[in-house]
Amino acid sequence: DSFEPKDNVYEEKHIGTDGSPNSIRENNEPKLKRGLKGRQMGMIAIGGTIGTGLFIGSGTTLATAGPAGSLVAYLVIGSMVFFICTSLGEMSTFIPTSDPFNHFAARFMDPALGFAFGWNYWLSWMLTVASELVACGIIVQYWLPHINGVIWSLIALVIMFLLNGISVRGYGEAEFWMSSLKVLTVFVFIIVGILTVTGVTGGDFIGGRNWHIEGAPFKDNIVGILKACIVAAFSFQGTEIVGVTVGECANPRRDVPRAIRSVFWRILFFYISSILIIGLVIPNNNENLVEAGGAGDVGISPFTMVFKQAGANWAAHIMNAVVLITVLSAGNSGLYACTRVLWVLAKEGKAPKILRKVTKHGVPIWALTFTALWSTIIFCISLAGNQNVYVFLINLSGLTGIGFWMGIGLCHWRFRRAYVAQGYNVNDLPYRAAFFPFGPIYALVLLFFIIFGQG
């Protein structure tokens, strides 16, 4: 099983571009389209990380670890996510495939592990889509409380399905604009936060006084930081979706490295700066912080609280709209990731053959329908009142996400060892992850302690 940079068979087999007998694709089948542009790839790389975890759940880390503790937690997890992204980027640019978790784990570790990773990744995102449907209904009821939220959830599902069903360009363009809105929101928030801390808006010079109250700057010391790391890890989930888009990127060896290189600075700016502003403006003993944990808590979101502190009492409505866009974005990305992973599994005989069907626009339509159907079923379970089962499934989804990150680190370790063992020069890689082998080792150790900390 040789690495041959000049004749990348795996790209052709997974995307279906060759006509050889060895191709997984039947010759009369349509193939996936490489329709994602560089600007879309770059925005997807950061847009996958900005979600309700930052807009709403970030207050939990401040209440748990204090302003400095929450900042340390996000710095630690952000650095780990950077190394995971660079590991995935190195493998994906050399071997572009629409299901890196199944393919890399099967090729570099064990076929059974690849099978498990592929299906678990599908399960994780399918459950995420179901949870976003629930959230859509809750969010719209903030404005229209007398209309059943199920209606809005179903409308959201139709929108997500159509965006994915048209073409990969439809998904990419929608995600580009939704992610752009999220990025703009965070940018405005940081500016308003700085003006609020310095007293330019709100009429009160805050400075660093909230770092000197009870429970600050560190609350519960190392225990508080570890708890905050768990919350921060869930906030960053979705970063790896850029690896799934590689299979349909117009120029993966140019655009993927660009997207990966920008992740570090975007994490530093959007996440770290936001957590710093929240810790400066809001006291960690504010009782509303621990209550903000779901999509329906927009009114007590840390972002909303900062805007209100600046005198913008209309902020709750703006943030509600932004969170609604965020939820649609997450569901849109979830359907995309599930569809592509399921299509590759079907191509390799690890899923029913019917799921291999691709439209003339390059959309695996039956894989998309299968995922939407199961997301709707899980959504209906939540409506039936069986919240214990639903919450269990969502928690399982989050934990499998951390498992994928560990898998990426392990696969990168094995990939690099095999590449060097066959006599190739790492300088010839289309994209080379920095700080190897420190990066994968650091990420694996940290992720192990995060999983251990779940107890």
Side-chain angles (χ1 to χ4, degrees):
D1 188 15
S2 175
F3 291 145
E4 189 58 51
K6 295 181 180 179
D7 183 19
N8 197 336
V9 179
Y10 282 83
E11 176 178 350
E12 294 179 342
K13 290 175 73 176
H14 279 271
I15 306 305
T17 55
D18 70 337
S20 67
N22 294 325
S23 176
I24 293 178
R25 175 180 67 85
E26 290 85 352
N27 291 335
N28 60 350
E29 276 194 32
K31 57 182 181 294
L32 297 183
K33 306 291 185 181
R34 290 193 173 273
L36 290 177
K37 301 176 182 178
R39 63 178 177 85
Q40 295 169 336
M41 290 289 294
M43 194 56 71
I44 289 170
I46 184 61
T49 66
I50 299 177
T52 53
L54 177 62
F55 289 136
I56 296 177
S58 54
T60 304
T61 62
L62 177 59
T64 301
S70 60
L71 189 62
V72 169
Y74 270 85
L75 281 168
V76 170
I77 298 300
S79 63
M80 180 272 294
V81 168
F82 169 72
F83 286 123
I84 289 296
C85 283
T86 56
S87 293
L88 183 60
E90 179 174 298
M91 294 184 291
S92 294
T93 50
F94 186 76
I95 308 174
T97 172
S98 290
D99 184 8
F101 311 101
N102 160 43
H103 179 73
F104 294 152
R107 184 176 181 185
F108 301 126
M109 297 182 68
D110 188 271
L113 188 63
F115 175 87
F117 268 15
W119 273 104
N120 275 292
Y121 194 72
W122 175 84
L123 174 67
S124 178
W125 273 107
M126 183 273 293
L127 293 173
T128 299
V129 173
S131 69
E132 303 303 350
L133 294 179
V134 176
C136 281
I138 296 173
I139 293 169
V140 178
Q141 282 188 312
Y142 183 85
W143 291 308
L144 303 170
H146 303 297
I147 300 179
N148 195 323
V150 175
I151 296 175
W152 305 115
S153 298
L154 294 177
I155 291 175
L157 177 62
V158 172
I159 293 173
M160 296 173 192
F161 188 91
L162 291 176
L163 288 174
N164 276 271
I166 297 173
S167 67
V168 67
R169 288 187 179 181
Y171 158 76
E173 200 63 24
E175 194 60 28
F176 174 82
W177 290 108
M178 287 190 285
S179 296
S180 297
L181 178 61
K182 292 187 285 185
V183 168
L184 178 62
T185 301
V186 177
F187 183 73
V188 172
F189 168 79
I190 292 172
I191 294 177
V192 172
I194 294 173
L195 295 177
T196 304
V197 171
T198 56
V200 176
T201 59
D204 180 22
F205 178 80
I206 299 174
R209 72 177 181 221
N210 287 329
W211 284 50
H212 300 284
I213 62 176
E214 183 181 358
F218 293 96
K219 184 177 180 180
D220 291 339
N221 299 317
I222 187 65
V223 175
I225 294 175
L226 286 174
K227 290 179 180 178
C229 280
I230 296 171
V231 178
F234 287 120
S235 298
F236 277 110
Q237 283 190 10
T239 317
E240 77 290 333
I241 202 169
V242 69
V244 180
T245 62
V246 170
E248 291 169 277
C249 177
N251 192 338
R253 297 196 172 182
R254 181 197 66 190
D255 295 334
V256 174
R258 288 180 180 177
I260 296 297
R261 290 189 191 103
S262 67
V263 164
F264 174 78
W265 299 109
R266 294 180 180 187
I267 287 174
L268 181 65
F269 180 77
F270 294 114
Y271 270 89
I272 306 305
S273 299
S274 297
I275 295 300
L276 177 61
I277 292 296
I278 291 171
L280 287 171
V281 177
I282 306 173
N284 67 279
N285 56 9
N286 188 308
E287 60 183 14
N288 287 330
L289 290 175
V290 293
E291 297 177 7
D297 301 321
V298 177
I300 50 179
S301 159
F303 276 63
T304 304
M305 293 166 68
V306 170
F307 279 124
K308 286 185 175 180
Q309 182 78 16
N313 293 323
W314 41 261
H317 293 285
I318 298 297
M319 282 307 303
N320 197 60
V322 171
V323 172
L324 178 60
I325 295 296
T326 297
V327 167
L328 287 172
S329 173
N332 189 42
S333 295
L335 273 180
Y336 173 84
C338 285
T339 301
R340 271 56 184 181
V341 167
L342 205 55
W343 180 77
V344 175
L345 288 171
K347 283 287 185 180
E348 297 183 352
K350 299 174 182 177
K353 291 182 179 179
I354 191 174
L355 301 178
R356 296 183 297 179
K357 173 65 177 178
V358 178
T359 68
K360 64 179 181 179
H361 297 295
V363 177
I365 190 64
W366 287 116
L368 176 62
T369 304
F370 182 80
T371 301
L373 176 63
W374 271 103
S375 295
T376 304
I377 292 173
I378 300 299
F379 169 69
C380 292
I381 290 176
S382 70
L383 297 180
N386 197 353
Q387 290 293 329
N388 290 334
V389 173
Y390 181 71
V391 171
F392 171 78
L393 291 173
I394 294 303
N395 289 339
L396 182 63
S397 168
L399 194 59
T400 55
I402 295 179
F404 301 141
W405 285 349
M406 293 190 73
I408 292 170
L410 287 170
C411 288
H412 184 216
W413 175 271
R414 296 274 293 175
F415 166 82
R416 183 69 76 88
R417 289 187 64 191
Y419 187 81
V420 172
Q422 292 185 24
Y424 294 107
N425 189 337
V426 294
N427 293 321
D428 294 331
L429 287 167
Y431 172 75
R432 183 159 60 100
F435 305 108
F436 184 89
F438 170 78
I441 294 174
Y442 169 76
L444 286 170
V445 171
L446 191 59
L447 287 167
F448 172 80
F449 280 107
I450 291 174
I451 292 178
F452 183 77
Q454 297 296 309

